[in-house]
Amino acid sequence: MIPTPHDLDPCPHGCGELVLWTITEHGRRMAVDAEPHELGNQAVFRTGPGGWRSRSLDGADAPRLAPWEHRYKPHVATCTAPRPAQPAIPGLGGGRPRPRRRAPARRPIWKAR
Ligand SMILES: [Zn+2]
């Protein structure tokens, strides 16, 4: 089951993306990305109108993805909004991208004399 735009809310951190709010197996709210992702570690399924559940696929004893579930990434793994330091989530390529160094400006050849 894929969420419709009606199921989505803007990211609470303000990155501008839409997120899908789910309830985890521990009863907590967790935002996942709006689109399924094959590398996601959350199995998400719809329980009824506006109701979405998620469960972690991490861990050796986690049941495999069921036919009615889709893989999603937790939105914290992809959110680009600035916020307090967040520990990287293993296996999701988490963490912030490193700031790129700018190459020093080259002098145009015609000025090189
Ligand atoms: Zn976000």
Side-chain angles (χ1 to χ4, degrees), residues 11-17 19 75 79-81:
C11 167
H13 305 292
C15 71
E17 295 293 323
V19 299
H75 182 64
C79 186
T80 55

Side-chain angles (χ1 to χ4, degrees), residues 25-92:
E25 54 206 323
H26 304 293
R28 292 219 180 126
R29 273 161 60 84
M30 182 176 69
V32 298
D33 285 350
E35 302 274 335
H37 194 288
E38 58 181 6
L39 298 179
N41 68 342
Q42 298 296 316
V44 172
F45 60 99
R46 191 167 179 255
T47 56
W52 293 84
R53 298 289 299 238
S54 59
R55 65 179 177 84
S56 176
L57 292 167
D58 291 338
D61 55 347
R64 288 191 160 192
L65 199 70
W68 58 87
E69 294 174 322
H70 285 89
R71 282 177 180 269
Y72 283 77
K73 280 188 173 183
H75 182 64
V76 293
T78 62
C79 186
T80 55
R83 63 190 184 289
Q86 175 98 27
I89 297 176
L92 287 178

